[in-house]
Amino acid sequence: VVMVTGLSGTGFGAATTTSASTSFGFGSGATGAFGGFGSTTSAGAGTNFNFSTPSNAGASLFGNTQNKGFGFSSGLGSSAPAGTGFGGALGGTGLGFGGFAGLQPTQNQQGDRGLFNQQASQSSQLFNTASALSAPSVLNDERDSILARWNQLQAFWGVGKGYYSSSTPPVEFSQENPFCRFKAVGYSCVSDVKDEDGLVALALNKKEADVRSQQQQLVESMHKVLGGNPTLSVNVEGVRALPDDQTEMIIYLVERSPNGTSKRVPASTLYSYMEQLNVKSALQQLGVIMAVSRTALTPAQLKQLLQNPPAGVDPIIWEQAKVDNPDPEKLIPVPMVGFRELLRRLKIQDQMTKQHQTRVDIISNDISELQRNQATTAAKITQYKRKLMDLSHRVLQVLIKQEVQRKSGYAIQLDEEHLRVQLETIQSELNAPTQFKGRLNELMSQIRMQNHFGAVRSEERYRVDADLLREIKQHLKHQQQGLSHLISVIKDDLDDIKMIEDGLHDSVHGRSSKLS
């Protein structure tokens, strides 16, 4: 789950700091993040927690050698160059991996000098950036102030070039510069996997369905790339989908000794071997984009990471992110620089949400199936109980008949006499007036009375109030009077019409007689 603390910019004059790369996952973000697959371009020593290509200069935090060899006495494969591969006699000394030769970091005499030069270069870069933002001297007139504001806008955006002098090249503004405003801090889970577990995650540029269908071929191809030693076996820990039709495959390498025991290859050792140029190119042909060793941070590394803000992040924002951490034991603050990094983490979160929803749907279907099975089982148990009771009664009847036939002709025995006395006692108790039979008769009589009263009440189901009945009668009476009045009016009208008809008939006959 990605938790963002908010976007914040830093003011001019904020000091920049460099820290160790802290990327845990695959991706192409400018600054690495712990969640997902991301590379990092921040200056500092690699921690083997990212998929960025580690620098060969100097020793890594896990003590990898400069030539990145496993250090076996006979190499990791017959086809690998000397000093860079697994040897055919990997298990010649027991478990083999317990006695890596050459894993001690070589003494780099130029390490301190390179670090000093790097710090000097960073100081010069910061000075040039401050000059481009505050006091550029390109045109030496009032236009330099406009140029300074333009450089500030580019620095805030994190894109462009800042001209500050006519005789020196411009400053390249990237999203890692301390003045870029598009920055935020989220949180990612801290891995609890040990280096001894040997887990290495590979990012494949293939869909999850294709990887699962070709998993066996991929494992065999990786085994050949790692030297094809019969004492080594490549195992898959898990496969999960990533955004942009990519897939993550977590593998580990197991070495078997001649005495039958086995041991996993440490993750740092396997990762160092995979980062060799010939091995890396062979893995790229199999579709592997990046690789990372899944190992947890040591307390010292975690302390160093929290104390030193990443490059371009304001120390105040970093301290506030540590204070706002909801679970410092399991989560660690991670910088997010630019919209591309935010979009990448959003895609990863959507992908993880879909996986969680798929798992929840599967669990829901399993629960529904178990509930149906439980209901079916309960119904069957009830049916079997009834059947058992029926069979028990039938068996009892058969036993009674058999016992009667077996005891026919014999006198009543003592135990039978005792049983008869007990039955008679029970029968007398049942027939007593104050006992069960009397109470049962009383209940039966009450039930009959209740049924009788219910039948009587059912006959008088409806009852109208006297006042309401009187109002209804009055209303009906008014209606009757109105109908009578209407009928009388109709009769009068009919009489008038008949009189008119008679008058018209007489006038017609009178005229006809005159004409004749």
Side-chain angles (χ1 to χ4, degrees), residues 13-18 122-123 126 176-179 309-313 315:
T16 59
T17 57
T18 60
Q122 291 175 358
S123 300
L126 180 60
E176 284 75 23
N177 76 84
F179 307 103
V313 178

Side-chain angles (χ1 to χ4, degrees), residues 394-413:
R394 292 173 61 184
V395 170
L396 184 59
Q397 292 176 0
V398 171
L399 290 176
I400 291 172
K401 292 181 180 180
Q402 183 180 3
E403 190 68 17
V404 169
Q405 291 180 0
R406 189 174 68 87
K407 292 295 180 100
S408 61
Y410 288 92
I412 297 177
Q413 298 179 359

